[in-house]
Amino acid sequence: LKAFEAAKGGNVEKSYIDPNAFTPNRTHRQVETEITYADLRKNGFKSVATLTNFALEALQNEMVGDVFTQLDAGITGTDQVFAITGSALTQDIIDKLALYVGDNATNGDAPFTFSLSKYAQQIAKISGMTAFMSDTMKDEYNRYGLVNFYNGMKIGAISSAHKTSLGNFLVPDKRVFGVAGKVGTLDTYGDVRVYETLNNNKEKVEIKVTGFEYGVCITNPEKVGKITFS
């Protein structure tokens, strides 16, 4: 909404908020698998329960990866993207990201970065970084190869070994995201349903996990900046 200067008792041009601009992107996912009667005889009733838990974990990981992919696609502003040629993080660029995040943070926000651990580790190796480390930070760096904070931003890292069921990283590669505060909403719909069908002819139990539906809505994209590597 726009605030214009106006004479007392006068009128100004109307401005609007369009609720249709914040329509969530809804996604439905499901998993189907099977287990043989022979495996059931070997492992007992827990086999179906174990597969169901694996299916739920796979669904949740895909949801997390999907959220970060949508967030990445939504951050396109020229003042939000800091490009690096190559794969080496520079102090100049990480400082620009920290400044952007700090400028967009408000009271109560807790600015942070998140990326794959191979990029988070580079932050600790920036020239002169050790001069600003406390003894506790140096000890943690020697143990884990990471630092907790940089220029007011908490440093978050996700292991490259953690991937979705489809083989994708949970966080997009070649990215370091800086977040100033809440950027949107994530809602789930309905209930997850598990169906088990006995196939006596093939001596298998067919398992279907469905009803995993969620919606993502990025309402404050200006709260995020990112570093890209090429």
Side-chain angles (χ1 to χ4, degrees):
L1 299 178
K2 299 177 181 179
F4 297 99
E5 182 179 359
K8 292 183 178 180
N11 298 100
V12 298
E13 179 184 348
K14 293 180 181 177
S15 53
Y16 303 90
I17 293 178
D18 182 7
N20 294 322
F22 301 109
T23 301
N25 295 319
R26 295 181 64 157
T27 303
H28 178 269
R29 294 183 181 274
Q30 67 184 42
V31 173
E32 296 187 38
T33 186
E34 62 185 21
I35 185 170
T36 65
Y37 286 1
D39 285 337
L40 280 175
R41 289 192 295 271
K42 292 178 183 177
N43 300 317
F45 73 94
K46 291 185 178 179
S47 296
V48 174
T50 299
L51 284 176
T52 301
N53 287 334
F54 286 163
L56 290 174
E57 182 179 342
L59 290 167
Q60 290 167 352
N61 284 343
E62 290 296 340
M63 178 181 67
V64 171
D66 193 20
V67 169
F68 288 140
T69 298
Q70 291 190 41
L71 182 62
D72 183 29
I75 308 307
T76 58
T78 55
D79 61 336
Q80 295 175 268
V81 182
F82 309 95
I84 291 179
T85 301
S87 58
L89 189 64
T90 65
Q91 183 174 359
D92 176 62
I93 292 296
I94 190 66
D95 284 348
K96 287 181 179 179
L97 179 66
L99 177 61
Y100 179 86
V101 170
D103 283 347
N104 284 277
T106 56
N107 292 334
D109 288 336
F112 65 95
T113 73
F114 66 90
S115 64
L116 295 178
S117 55
K118 61 182 178 181
Y119 301 117
Q121 190 178 55
Q122 292 187 38
I123 297 175
K125 296 181 179 180
I126 289 176
S127 177
M129 182 64 185
T130 55
F132 300 98
M133 289 185 183
S134 64
D135 290 339
T136 300
M137 291 175 67
K138 290 178 181 179
D139 182 55
E140 290 182 348
Y141 172 68
N142 289 329
R143 286 186 178 186
Y144 310 113
L146 301 171
V147 294
N148 287 333
F149 289 92
Y150 182 88
N151 277 4
M153 300 184 299
K154 186 172 179 61
I155 308 302
I158 298 178
S159 172
S160 300
H162 295 164
K163 296 183 179 181
T164 70
S165 60
L166 299 179
N168 301 314
F169 292 118
L170 290 178
V171 174
D173 194 10
K174 298 183 178 180
R175 299 286 190 275
V176 176
F177 294 91
V179 184
K182 184 177 179 180
V183 300
T185 58
L186 170 64
D187 294 311
T188 57
Y189 309 97
D191 298 312
V192 176
R193 304 180 299 280
V194 180
Y195 300 112
E196 301 173 23
T197 303
L198 302 180
N199 190 329
N200 293 328
N201 292 328
K202 294 184 178 181
E203 296 192 355
K204 294 179 179 180
V205 179
E206 298 173 349
I207 302 171
K208 180 177 181 179
V209 182
T210 188
F212 190 86
E213 187 174 5
Y214 56 90
V216 181
C217 188
I218 308 300
T219 56
N220 298 292
E222 73 282 355
K223 288 281 191 177
V224 185
K226 67 180 178 182
I227 297 171
T228 63
F229 300 88
S230 60

